[in-house]
Amino acid sequence: MLDETLTEQIKGIREKKYSSFELTEFLLDRIKDKTELNCFISINDNILEEAKAADKELERGSDKPLLGIPIAHKDIFCERETKTTAGSQMLENFVAPYDATVVSNLKRAGAISLGKTNMDEFAMGSSNETSFFGPVKNPWDETRVPGGSSGGSAAAVSARLCSAATGTDTGGSIRQPASFCGITGLKPTYGRVSRWGMIAYASSLDQAGPMALTAEDCAIMLKEMSGHDKKDSTSAQVEVDDYRALLSRPLGKLKIGIFEPLMKELDSATSLVMEKTIEELEKIGMTFTEIDLPNFSYAIPAYYVIAPAECSANLSRYDGVRFGYRCDEPSDLKELYQRSRTEGLGKEVKNRIMAGTFALTSGYYDAFYKKAQQVRRLIKNDFVEAFKKVDVIIAPATPSTAFRLGEKAGDPKEMYLQDVYTTSSNLAGLPALSMPAGFVNNLPVGVQLIGNYFDEAQILAIAHQFQSITDWHLTSPDIPT
Ligand code: GLN
């Protein structure tokens, strides 16, 4: 059971190789064995009951696509009667009164919720070290970070504590941890998946997506997670494809764009992984062309103005009155607000609220926030131009492999540079995935495929066909290659 993918688990339950109850018990034991990884903030106490109910439903002939499959949710998704903390002391005791659309969509497909995964506080971070609940450890090397902010989900899938998990990606939080942990992770087009019930960080960038071992598993998850939702006005009225059915279709001679300056920045070992990936993709018929993305290098500065600006507005609701942590014995109302926020929020989150508030202040708004928005438009225009020439863009996912716990924690600038290859697709709203493509010093390396708007089917199909001729995605920390 241990190394089975989501696809195999679906088959295993359907063909009665094992029941949902047996699979769930197996995973709960595995989670106990791996508590040192700190992947979960909470486990669903009712899961065995839910698994039994799923087994009964199967007996009655239900054909729900994910029936009885235990899925983990990043602890940013509200789930009814379940603690939803966003990795923060502020929400340590917050019990959500409703299910996020992502959660209810997956439940409707028959999935059962295994528990809530650890994450950087309010999804701000690239290493999981800003979590109030302590850092997650990378299953490939426990002295290293799993990436962030969806580090708990990535490490849980990589350590085989579940076959699939949800994540969110505002500037790279699905793709970077997927790359660090050797799994496949997809950030969909902005608007593809509803944000309703997902705790907001930067609303114009936040997007939920699947994290799993294979592109096929991500395809199955994405279909169930996606779709228009009238409760989220930015969710798109675009038909959801049957991603799995489209995985093996003939792709013809697709043109893949390469932006050369990105390749030049890589160290020689990572360069080699990129080159090998390109060779493999050539074998399945892809052709490669150079493209220009003249404003690419402005993505990080633009992102680190826009995201904090939006976070400063979104997080104002956590004031100790309407939501969240309240300080003890405040002397007056002002002190209640002040101390609740000072005590309840972590350092990185407060830094960003301050920076974001500054960027929105009258007198600075034009110089920072407006400028960043203008740059964002230029970045988007560059991609629109590039996609007139190519079908997909290939890029590194991260500048390095997983770094050591504590290595960058004291240096925000170093940490922000982690997002150098990922933030531009959030700013442009494009779908992008990271797929395992090799190892450097026994640590996984991911390669990124960026697709055109709402063309998740294309990047998933390329990743799937790449995975049918390689086996990086099937290596596991227990049995490395
Ligand atoms: N590392 C980035 C940040 O800290 C991205 C986070 C994310 O995508 N949620 O903002």
Side-chain angles (χ1 to χ4, degrees), residues 74 77 146 148-151 153-154 165-180 183-188 207-212 218 225 422 426 432-434:
K74 183 176 182 178
F77 292 99
S149 62
S150 314
S153 289
T166 54
T168 63
D169 191 313
T170 305
S173 278
I174 287 177
R175 290 160 288 159
Q176 187 251 17
S179 172
F180 277 12
I183 65 162
T184 309
L186 169 71
K187 178 201 97 71
Q207 187 60 198
M211 306 177 80
C218 286
M225 292 168 73
T422 47
N426 299 81
L433 65 75
S434 172

PDB file of all heavy atoms in Angstrom, residues 74 77 146 148-151 153-154 165-180 183-188 207-212 218 225 422 426 432-434:
ATOM      1  N   LYS A  74      -4.394  21.584   3.278  1.00  0.00           N
ATOM      2  CA  LYS A  74      -3.593  22.642   3.887  1.00  0.00           C
ATOM      3  C   LYS A  74      -4.485  23.357   4.897  1.00  0.00           C
ATOM      4  O   LYS A  74      -5.672  23.590   4.615  1.00  0.00           O
ATOM      5  CB  LYS A  74      -3.124  23.599   2.776  1.00  0.00           C
ATOM      6  CG  LYS A  74      -2.209  24.723   3.255  1.00  0.00           C
ATOM      7  CD  LYS A  74      -1.712  25.550   2.071  1.00  0.00           C
ATOM      8  CE  LYS A  74      -0.763  26.651   2.481  1.00  0.00           C
ATOM      9  NZ  LYS A  74      -0.252  27.432   1.329  1.00  0.00           N
ATOM     10  N   PHE A  77      -7.685  26.020   4.455  1.00  0.00           N
ATOM     11  CA  PHE A  77      -9.049  25.786   3.956  1.00  0.00           C
ATOM     12  C   PHE A  77      -9.982  25.563   5.136  1.00  0.00           C
ATOM     13  O   PHE A  77      -9.747  24.673   5.964  1.00  0.00           O
ATOM     14  CB  PHE A  77      -9.083  24.537   3.057  1.00  0.00           C
ATOM     15  CG  PHE A  77      -8.338  24.708   1.779  1.00  0.00           C
ATOM     16  CD1 PHE A  77      -7.051  24.215   1.630  1.00  0.00           C
ATOM     17  CD2 PHE A  77      -8.909  25.391   0.713  1.00  0.00           C
ATOM     18  CE1 PHE A  77      -6.352  24.381   0.452  1.00  0.00           C
ATOM     19  CE2 PHE A  77      -8.213  25.564  -0.479  1.00  0.00           C
ATOM     20  CZ  PHE A  77      -6.932  25.060  -0.602  1.00  0.00           C
ATOM     21  N   PRO A 146      11.053  21.785   3.956  1.00  0.00           N
ATOM     22  CA  PRO A 146      10.292  21.165   2.874  1.00  0.00           C
ATOM     23  C   PRO A 146       9.877  22.195   1.827  1.00  0.00           C
ATOM     24  O   PRO A 146       9.223  21.855   0.848  1.00  0.00           O
ATOM     25  CB  PRO A 146       9.036  20.674   3.608  1.00  0.00           C
ATOM     26  CG  PRO A 146       8.827  21.707   4.670  1.00  0.00           C
ATOM     27  CD  PRO A 146      10.204  22.172   5.097  1.00  0.00           C
ATOM     28  N   GLY A 148       7.884  26.103   1.244  1.00  0.00           N
ATOM     29  CA  GLY A 148       6.646  26.654   1.814  1.00  0.00           C
ATOM     30  C   GLY A 148       5.938  27.517   0.793  1.00  0.00           C
ATOM     31  O   GLY A 148       6.460  27.754  -0.280  1.00  0.00           O
ATOM     32  N   SER A 149       4.729  27.934   1.064  1.00  0.00           N
ATOM     33  CA  SER A 149       4.134  27.735   2.370  1.00  0.00           C
ATOM     34  C   SER A 149       3.381  26.411   2.526  1.00  0.00           C
ATOM     35  O   SER A 149       3.073  26.022   3.647  1.00  0.00           O
ATOM     36  CB  SER A 149       3.164  28.881   2.652  1.00  0.00           C
ATOM     37  OG  SER A 149       2.114  28.881   1.699  1.00  0.00           O
ATOM     38  N   SER A 150       3.127  25.694   1.418  1.00  0.00           N
ATOM     39  CA  SER A 150       2.383  24.427   1.563  1.00  0.00           C
ATOM     40  C   SER A 150       3.336  23.276   1.895  1.00  0.00           C
ATOM     41  O   SER A 150       3.238  22.187   1.322  1.00  0.00           O
ATOM     42  CB  SER A 150       1.614  24.114   0.260  1.00  0.00           C
ATOM     43  OG  SER A 150       0.934  25.243  -0.223  1.00  0.00           O
ATOM     44  N   GLY A 151       4.241  23.492   2.836  1.00  0.00           N
ATOM     45  CA  GLY A 151       5.279  22.507   3.159  1.00  0.00           C
ATOM     46  C   GLY A 151       4.728  21.247   3.805  1.00  0.00           C
ATOM     47  O   GLY A 151       5.232  20.145   3.564  1.00  0.00           O
ATOM     48  N   SER A 153       1.773  19.866   3.303  1.00  0.00           N
ATOM     49  CA  SER A 153       1.132  19.056   2.256  1.00  0.00           C
ATOM     50  C   SER A 153       2.192  18.349   1.412  1.00  0.00           C
ATOM     51  O   SER A 153       2.072  17.158   1.117  1.00  0.00           O
ATOM     52  CB  SER A 153       0.267  19.935   1.340  1.00  0.00           C
ATOM     53  OG  SER A 153      -0.887  20.381   2.020  1.00  0.00           O
ATOM     54  N   ALA A 154       3.239  19.099   1.038  1.00  0.00           N
ATOM     55  CA  ALA A 154       4.277  18.514   0.179  1.00  0.00           C
ATOM     56  C   ALA A 154       5.008  17.389   0.902  1.00  0.00           C
ATOM     57  O   ALA A 154       5.214  16.303   0.340  1.00  0.00           O
ATOM     58  CB  ALA A 154       5.268  19.600  -0.246  1.00  0.00           C
ATOM     59  N   ALA A 165      -2.857  15.921  -1.622  1.00  0.00           N
ATOM     60  CA  ALA A 165      -3.192  16.965  -0.653  1.00  0.00           C
ATOM     61  C   ALA A 165      -3.529  18.236  -1.413  1.00  0.00           C
ATOM     62  O   ALA A 165      -3.174  18.385  -2.588  1.00  0.00           O
ATOM     63  CB  ALA A 165      -2.012  17.198   0.288  1.00  0.00           C
ATOM     64  N   THR A 166      -4.214  19.142  -0.727  1.00  0.00           N
ATOM     65  CA  THR A 166      -4.464  20.445  -1.331  1.00  0.00           C
ATOM     66  C   THR A 166      -3.370  21.418  -0.885  1.00  0.00           C
ATOM     67  O   THR A 166      -2.777  21.244   0.185  1.00  0.00           O
ATOM     68  CB  THR A 166      -5.833  20.999  -0.904  1.00  0.00           C
ATOM     69  OG1 THR A 166      -5.891  21.009   0.533  1.00  0.00           O
ATOM     70  CG2 THR A 166      -6.958  20.139  -1.441  1.00  0.00           C
ATOM     71  N   GLY A 167      -3.144  22.419  -1.711  1.00  0.00           N
ATOM     72  CA  GLY A 167      -2.194  23.476  -1.371  1.00  0.00           C
ATOM     73  C   GLY A 167      -2.720  24.788  -1.916  1.00  0.00           C
ATOM     74  O   GLY A 167      -3.745  24.816  -2.612  1.00  0.00           O
ATOM     75  N   THR A 168      -2.025  25.866  -1.597  1.00  0.00           N
ATOM     76  CA  THR A 168      -2.351  27.137  -2.241  1.00  0.00           C
ATOM     77  C   THR A 168      -1.051  27.781  -2.686  1.00  0.00           C
ATOM     78  O   THR A 168       0.012  27.518  -2.117  1.00  0.00           O
ATOM     79  CB  THR A 168      -3.091  28.117  -1.302  1.00  0.00           C
ATOM     80  OG1 THR A 168      -2.232  28.446  -0.194  1.00  0.00           O
ATOM     81  CG2 THR A 168      -4.394  27.531  -0.789  1.00  0.00           C
ATOM     82  N   ASP A 169      -1.174  28.625  -3.714  1.00  0.00           N
ATOM     83  CA  ASP A 169       0.007  29.204  -4.337  1.00  0.00           C
ATOM     84  C   ASP A 169      -0.296  30.661  -4.657  1.00  0.00           C
ATOM     85  O   ASP A 169      -1.123  30.961  -5.514  1.00  0.00           O
ATOM     86  CB  ASP A 169       0.318  28.394  -5.614  1.00  0.00           C
ATOM     87  CG  ASP A 169       1.667  28.701  -6.233  1.00  0.00           C
ATOM     88  OD1 ASP A 169       1.970  29.896  -6.375  1.00  0.00           O
ATOM     89  OD2 ASP A 169       2.393  27.751  -6.604  1.00  0.00           O
ATOM     90  N   THR A 170       0.379  31.551  -3.925  1.00  0.00           N
ATOM     91  CA  THR A 170       0.207  32.995  -4.120  1.00  0.00           C
ATOM     92  C   THR A 170       1.411  33.542  -4.875  1.00  0.00           C
ATOM     93  O   THR A 170       1.306  34.473  -5.664  1.00  0.00           O
ATOM     94  CB  THR A 170       0.061  33.678  -2.733  1.00  0.00           C
ATOM     95  OG1 THR A 170      -1.009  33.059  -2.038  1.00  0.00           O
ATOM     96  CG2 THR A 170      -0.186  35.171  -2.846  1.00  0.00           C
ATOM     97  N   GLY A 171       2.585  32.917  -4.590  1.00  0.00           N
ATOM     98  CA  GLY A 171       3.812  33.338  -5.263  1.00  0.00           C
ATOM     99  C   GLY A 171       4.734  32.152  -5.521  1.00  0.00           C
ATOM    100  O   GLY A 171       5.894  32.332  -5.872  1.00  0.00           O
ATOM    101  N   GLY A 172       4.221  30.944  -5.278  1.00  0.00           N
ATOM    102  CA  GLY A 172       5.057  29.759  -5.503  1.00  0.00           C
ATOM    103  C   GLY A 172       4.812  28.649  -4.490  1.00  0.00           C
ATOM    104  O   GLY A 172       5.483  27.609  -4.514  1.00  0.00           O
ATOM    105  N   SER A 173       3.861  28.856  -3.598  1.00  0.00           N
ATOM    106  CA  SER A 173       3.701  27.961  -2.439  1.00  0.00           C
ATOM    107  C   SER A 173       3.237  26.547  -2.720  1.00  0.00           C
ATOM    108  O   SER A 173       3.236  25.725  -1.814  1.00  0.00           O
ATOM    109  CB  SER A 173       2.742  28.591  -1.439  1.00  0.00           C
ATOM    110  OG  SER A 173       3.433  29.515  -0.660  1.00  0.00           O
ATOM    111  N   ILE A 174       2.845  26.250  -3.957  1.00  0.00           N
ATOM    112  CA  ILE A 174       2.617  24.842  -4.315  1.00  0.00           C
ATOM    113  C   ILE A 174       3.868  24.311  -5.010  1.00  0.00           C
ATOM    114  O   ILE A 174       4.382  23.236  -4.689  1.00  0.00           O
ATOM    115  CB  ILE A 174       1.383  24.693  -5.244  1.00  0.00           C
ATOM    116  CG1 ILE A 174       0.098  24.919  -4.439  1.00  0.00           C
ATOM    117  CG2 ILE A 174       1.373  23.317  -5.918  1.00  0.00           C
ATOM    118  CD1 ILE A 174      -1.191  24.862  -5.252  1.00  0.00           C
ATOM    119  N   ARG A 175       4.382  25.093  -5.957  1.00  0.00           N
ATOM    120  CA  ARG A 175       5.457  24.601  -6.822  1.00  0.00           C
ATOM    121  C   ARG A 175       6.802  24.470  -6.111  1.00  0.00           C
ATOM    122  O   ARG A 175       7.537  23.510  -6.326  1.00  0.00           O
ATOM    123  CB  ARG A 175       5.586  25.529  -8.042  1.00  0.00           C
ATOM    124  CG  ARG A 175       4.395  25.410  -8.986  1.00  0.00           C
ATOM    125  CD  ARG A 175       4.279  26.618  -9.873  1.00  0.00           C
ATOM    126  NE  ARG A 175       3.821  27.799  -9.155  1.00  0.00           N
ATOM    127  CZ  ARG A 175       3.992  29.051  -9.530  1.00  0.00           C
ATOM    128  NH1 ARG A 175       4.668  29.305 -10.634  1.00  0.00           N
ATOM    129  NH2 ARG A 175       3.514  30.062  -8.819  1.00  0.00           N
ATOM    130  N   GLN A 176       7.132  25.443  -5.256  1.00  0.00           N
ATOM    131  CA  GLN A 176       8.445  25.381  -4.585  1.00  0.00           C
ATOM    132  C   GLN A 176       8.523  24.199  -3.618  1.00  0.00           C
ATOM    133  O   GLN A 176       9.468  23.411  -3.691  1.00  0.00           O
ATOM    134  CB  GLN A 176       8.739  26.745  -3.936  1.00  0.00           C
ATOM    135  CG  GLN A 176      10.130  26.867  -3.350  1.00  0.00           C
ATOM    136  CD  GLN A 176      10.073  26.888  -1.835  1.00  0.00           C
ATOM    137  OE1 GLN A 176       9.076  26.506  -1.236  1.00  0.00           O
ATOM    138  NE2 GLN A 176      11.166  27.320  -1.214  1.00  0.00           N
ATOM    139  N   PRO A 177       7.531  23.996  -2.725  1.00  0.00           N
ATOM    140  CA  PRO A 177       7.606  22.791  -1.873  1.00  0.00           C
ATOM    141  C   PRO A 177       7.483  21.496  -2.666  1.00  0.00           C
ATOM    142  O   PRO A 177       8.102  20.484  -2.302  1.00  0.00           O
ATOM    143  CB  PRO A 177       6.447  22.958  -0.881  1.00  0.00           C
ATOM    144  CG  PRO A 177       5.633  24.108  -1.347  1.00  0.00           C
ATOM    145  CD  PRO A 177       6.448  24.902  -2.296  1.00  0.00           C
ATOM    146  N   ALA A 178       6.713  21.504  -3.758  1.00  0.00           N
ATOM    147  CA  ALA A 178       6.633  20.294  -4.595  1.00  0.00           C
ATOM    148  C   ALA A 178       8.024  19.957  -5.113  1.00  0.00           C
ATOM    149  O   ALA A 178       8.465  18.803  -5.086  1.00  0.00           O
ATOM    150  CB  ALA A 178       5.661  20.509  -5.753  1.00  0.00           C
ATOM    151  N   SER A 179       8.742  20.981  -5.556  1.00  0.00           N
ATOM    152  CA  SER A 179      10.093  20.771  -6.074  1.00  0.00           C
ATOM    153  C   SER A 179      11.040  20.264  -4.974  1.00  0.00           C
ATOM    154  O   SER A 179      11.783  19.302  -5.168  1.00  0.00           O
ATOM    155  CB  SER A 179      10.587  22.101  -6.661  1.00  0.00           C
ATOM    156  OG  SER A 179      11.930  22.031  -7.013  1.00  0.00           O
ATOM    157  N   PHE A 180      10.984  20.887  -3.804  1.00  0.00           N
ATOM    158  CA  PHE A 180      11.868  20.495  -2.687  1.00  0.00           C
ATOM    159  C   PHE A 180      11.583  19.074  -2.184  1.00  0.00           C
ATOM    160  O   PHE A 180      12.467  18.433  -1.626  1.00  0.00           O
ATOM    161  CB  PHE A 180      11.697  21.465  -1.512  1.00  0.00           C
ATOM    162  CG  PHE A 180      12.493  22.741  -1.625  1.00  0.00           C
ATOM    163  CD1 PHE A 180      13.105  23.111  -2.814  1.00  0.00           C
ATOM    164  CD2 PHE A 180      12.645  23.574  -0.524  1.00  0.00           C
ATOM    165  CE1 PHE A 180      13.839  24.282  -2.915  1.00  0.00           C
ATOM    166  CE2 PHE A 180      13.383  24.754  -0.608  1.00  0.00           C
ATOM    167  CZ  PHE A 180      13.977  25.113  -1.799  1.00  0.00           C
ATOM    168  N   ILE A 183       7.698  15.967  -5.477  1.00  0.00           N
ATOM    169  CA  ILE A 183       6.351  15.565  -5.895  1.00  0.00           C
ATOM    170  C   ILE A 183       5.871  16.489  -7.027  1.00  0.00           C
ATOM    171  O   ILE A 183       6.587  17.406  -7.429  1.00  0.00           O
ATOM    172  CB  ILE A 183       5.345  15.585  -4.720  1.00  0.00           C
ATOM    173  CG1 ILE A 183       5.134  17.010  -4.191  1.00  0.00           C
ATOM    174  CG2 ILE A 183       5.826  14.666  -3.594  1.00  0.00           C
ATOM    175  CD1 ILE A 183       3.878  17.172  -3.371  1.00  0.00           C
ATOM    176  N   THR A 184       4.654  16.233  -7.514  1.00  0.00           N
ATOM    177  CA  THR A 184       4.100  17.064  -8.579  1.00  0.00           C
ATOM    178  C   THR A 184       3.078  18.025  -7.967  1.00  0.00           C
ATOM    179  O   THR A 184       2.253  17.605  -7.163  1.00  0.00           O
ATOM    180  CB  THR A 184       3.402  16.161  -9.623  1.00  0.00           C
ATOM    181  OG1 THR A 184       4.318  15.112  -9.996  1.00  0.00           O
ATOM    182  CG2 THR A 184       3.008  16.944 -10.865  1.00  0.00           C
ATOM    183  N   GLY A 185       3.167  19.296  -8.325  1.00  0.00           N
ATOM    184  CA  GLY A 185       2.223  20.274  -7.774  1.00  0.00           C
ATOM    185  C   GLY A 185       1.804  21.261  -8.836  1.00  0.00           C
ATOM    186  O   GLY A 185       2.634  21.709  -9.625  1.00  0.00           O
ATOM    187  N   LEU A 186       0.532  21.572  -8.874  1.00  0.00           N
ATOM    188  CA  LEU A 186       0.002  22.455  -9.925  1.00  0.00           C
ATOM    189  C   LEU A 186      -0.704  23.665  -9.337  1.00  0.00           C
ATOM    190  O   LEU A 186      -1.605  23.532  -8.507  1.00  0.00           O
ATOM    191  CB  LEU A 186      -1.004  21.667 -10.776  1.00  0.00           C
ATOM    192  CG  LEU A 186      -1.853  22.504 -11.747  1.00  0.00           C
ATOM    193  CD1 LEU A 186      -1.031  23.027 -12.910  1.00  0.00           C
ATOM    194  CD2 LEU A 186      -3.023  21.685 -12.281  1.00  0.00           C
ATOM    195  N   LYS A 187      -0.266  24.846  -9.788  1.00  0.00           N
ATOM    196  CA  LYS A 187      -1.023  26.063  -9.526  1.00  0.00           C
ATOM    197  C   LYS A 187      -1.890  26.345 -10.742  1.00  0.00           C
ATOM    198  O   LYS A 187      -1.369  26.575 -11.826  1.00  0.00           O
ATOM    199  CB  LYS A 187      -0.110  27.264  -9.302  1.00  0.00           C
ATOM    200  CG  LYS A 187      -0.916  28.546  -9.077  1.00  0.00           C
ATOM    201  CD  LYS A 187      -0.128  29.811  -9.345  1.00  0.00           C
ATOM    202  CE  LYS A 187      -0.340  30.398 -10.719  1.00  0.00           C
ATOM    203  NZ  LYS A 187      -1.673  31.017 -10.937  1.00  0.00           N
ATOM    204  N   PRO A 188      -3.201  26.287 -10.601  1.00  0.00           N
ATOM    205  CA  PRO A 188      -4.064  26.511 -11.758  1.00  0.00           C
ATOM    206  C   PRO A 188      -4.112  27.995 -12.165  1.00  0.00           C
ATOM    207  O   PRO A 188      -3.610  28.856 -11.447  1.00  0.00           O
ATOM    208  CB  PRO A 188      -5.444  26.054 -11.271  1.00  0.00           C
ATOM    209  CG  PRO A 188      -5.200  25.318  -9.985  1.00  0.00           C
ATOM    210  CD  PRO A 188      -3.941  25.904  -9.408  1.00  0.00           C
ATOM    211  N   GLN A 207      -4.332  31.143  -5.239  1.00  0.00           N
ATOM    212  CA  GLN A 207      -5.023  30.115  -6.020  1.00  0.00           C
ATOM    213  C   GLN A 207      -4.737  28.741  -5.419  1.00  0.00           C
ATOM    214  O   GLN A 207      -3.604  28.436  -5.064  1.00  0.00           O
ATOM    215  CB  GLN A 207      -4.589  30.189  -7.487  1.00  0.00           C
ATOM    216  CG  GLN A 207      -5.342  29.307  -8.451  1.00  0.00           C
ATOM    217  CD  GLN A 207      -6.855  29.563  -8.545  1.00  0.00           C
ATOM    218  OE1 GLN A 207      -7.598  28.723  -9.021  1.00  0.00           O
ATOM    219  NE2 GLN A 207      -7.330  30.698  -8.090  1.00  0.00           N
ATOM    220  N   ALA A 208      -5.787  27.934  -5.287  1.00  0.00           N
ATOM    221  CA  ALA A 208      -5.640  26.594  -4.717  1.00  0.00           C
ATOM    222  C   ALA A 208      -5.316  25.593  -5.816  1.00  0.00           C
ATOM    223  O   ALA A 208      -5.748  25.764  -6.959  1.00  0.00           O
ATOM    224  CB  ALA A 208      -6.932  26.179  -4.036  1.00  0.00           C
ATOM    225  N   GLY A 209      -4.595  24.546  -5.460  1.00  0.00           N
ATOM    226  CA  GLY A 209      -4.298  23.517  -6.450  1.00  0.00           C
ATOM    227  C   GLY A 209      -3.902  22.208  -5.797  1.00  0.00           C
ATOM    228  O   GLY A 209      -3.726  22.127  -4.577  1.00  0.00           O
ATOM    229  N   PRO A 210      -3.752  21.157  -6.628  1.00  0.00           N
ATOM    230  CA  PRO A 210      -3.426  19.835  -6.107  1.00  0.00           C
ATOM    231  C   PRO A 210      -1.926  19.580  -5.966  1.00  0.00           C
ATOM    232  O   PRO A 210      -1.119  20.105  -6.728  1.00  0.00           O
ATOM    233  CB  PRO A 210      -3.998  18.911  -7.190  1.00  0.00           C
ATOM    234  CG  PRO A 210      -3.907  19.709  -8.454  1.00  0.00           C
ATOM    235  CD  PRO A 210      -4.020  21.162  -8.084  1.00  0.00           C
ATOM    236  N   MET A 211      -1.587  18.731  -4.992  1.00  0.00           N
ATOM    237  CA  MET A 211      -0.212  18.270  -4.797  1.00  0.00           C
ATOM    238  C   MET A 211      -0.287  16.753  -4.656  1.00  0.00           C
ATOM    239  O   MET A 211      -1.037  16.240  -3.818  1.00  0.00           O
ATOM    240  CB  MET A 211       0.384  18.904  -3.539  1.00  0.00           C
ATOM    241  CG  MET A 211       0.262  20.425  -3.572  1.00  0.00           C
ATOM    242  SD  MET A 211       0.865  21.250  -2.091  1.00  0.00           S
ATOM    243  CE  MET A 211       2.640  21.240  -2.394  1.00  0.00           C
ATOM    244  N   ALA A 212       0.464  16.038  -5.481  1.00  0.00           N
ATOM    245  CA  ALA A 212       0.359  14.574  -5.489  1.00  0.00           C
ATOM    246  C   ALA A 212       1.639  13.999  -6.080  1.00  0.00           C
ATOM    247  O   ALA A 212       2.556  14.745  -6.441  1.00  0.00           O
ATOM    248  CB  ALA A 212      -0.850  14.150  -6.308  1.00  0.00           C
ATOM    249  N   CYS A 218      -2.694  14.649 -10.061  1.00  0.00           N
ATOM    250  CA  CYS A 218      -3.064  16.071 -10.019  1.00  0.00           C
ATOM    251  C   CYS A 218      -4.242  16.329 -10.949  1.00  0.00           C
ATOM    252  O   CYS A 218      -5.127  17.135 -10.639  1.00  0.00           O
ATOM    253  CB  CYS A 218      -1.884  16.956 -10.428  1.00  0.00           C
ATOM    254  SG  CYS A 218      -0.612  17.068  -9.149  1.00  0.00           S
ATOM    255  N   MET A 225     -11.657  19.691  -7.897  1.00  0.00           N
ATOM    256  CA  MET A 225     -11.530  20.938  -7.128  1.00  0.00           C
ATOM    257  C   MET A 225     -12.091  22.147  -7.879  1.00  0.00           C
ATOM    258  O   MET A 225     -12.511  23.128  -7.270  1.00  0.00           O
ATOM    259  CB  MET A 225     -10.039  21.222  -6.841  1.00  0.00           C
ATOM    260  CG  MET A 225      -9.398  20.241  -5.877  1.00  0.00           C
ATOM    261  SD  MET A 225      -7.590  20.397  -5.850  1.00  0.00           S
ATOM    262  CE  MET A 225      -7.374  21.932  -4.957  1.00  0.00           C
ATOM    263  N   THR A 422       8.882  31.674  -9.662  1.00  0.00           N
ATOM    264  CA  THR A 422       7.468  31.298  -9.532  1.00  0.00           C
ATOM    265  C   THR A 422       6.492  32.477  -9.526  1.00  0.00           C
ATOM    266  O   THR A 422       5.385  32.352 -10.040  1.00  0.00           O
ATOM    267  CB  THR A 422       7.239  30.469  -8.241  1.00  0.00           C
ATOM    268  OG1 THR A 422       7.895  31.119  -7.150  1.00  0.00           O
ATOM    269  CG2 THR A 422       7.753  29.057  -8.392  1.00  0.00           C
ATOM    270  N   ASN A 426       2.061  33.931 -11.053  1.00  0.00           N
ATOM    271  CA  ASN A 426       0.955  34.417 -10.211  1.00  0.00           C
ATOM    272  C   ASN A 426       0.556  35.829 -10.635  1.00  0.00           C
ATOM    273  O   ASN A 426      -0.630  36.154 -10.731  1.00  0.00           O
ATOM    274  CB  ASN A 426       1.361  34.452  -8.733  1.00  0.00           C
ATOM    275  CG  ASN A 426       1.736  33.084  -8.204  1.00  0.00           C
ATOM    276  OD1 ASN A 426       2.844  32.625  -8.414  1.00  0.00           O
ATOM    277  ND2 ASN A 426       0.802  32.415  -7.546  1.00  0.00           N
ATOM    278  N   ALA A 432       0.732  26.885 -13.800  1.00  0.00           N
ATOM    279  CA  ALA A 432       2.114  26.390 -13.846  1.00  0.00           C
ATOM    280  C   ALA A 432       2.236  25.193 -12.916  1.00  0.00           C
ATOM    281  O   ALA A 432       1.566  25.143 -11.882  1.00  0.00           O
ATOM    282  CB  ALA A 432       3.076  27.491 -13.406  1.00  0.00           C
ATOM    283  N   LEU A 433       3.076  24.241 -13.324  1.00  0.00           N
ATOM    284  CA  LEU A 433       3.276  23.092 -12.445  1.00  0.00           C
ATOM    285  C   LEU A 433       4.752  22.831 -12.243  1.00  0.00           C
ATOM    286  O   LEU A 433       5.593  23.247 -13.045  1.00  0.00           O
ATOM    287  CB  LEU A 433       2.559  21.840 -12.975  1.00  0.00           C
ATOM    288  CG  LEU A 433       2.952  21.182 -14.285  1.00  0.00           C
ATOM    289  CD1 LEU A 433       4.256  20.392 -14.180  1.00  0.00           C
ATOM    290  CD2 LEU A 433       1.841  20.217 -14.706  1.00  0.00           C
ATOM    291  N   SER A 434       5.054  22.135 -11.155  1.00  0.00           N
ATOM    292  CA  SER A 434       6.419  21.655 -10.944  1.00  0.00           C
ATOM    293  C   SER A 434       6.382  20.134 -10.949  1.00  0.00           C
ATOM    294  O   SER A 434       5.520  19.524 -10.305  1.00  0.00           O
ATOM    295  CB  SER A 434       6.968  22.162  -9.610  1.00  0.00           C
ATOM    296  OG  SER A 434       8.219  21.550  -9.336  1.00  0.00           O
TER     297      SER A 434
END
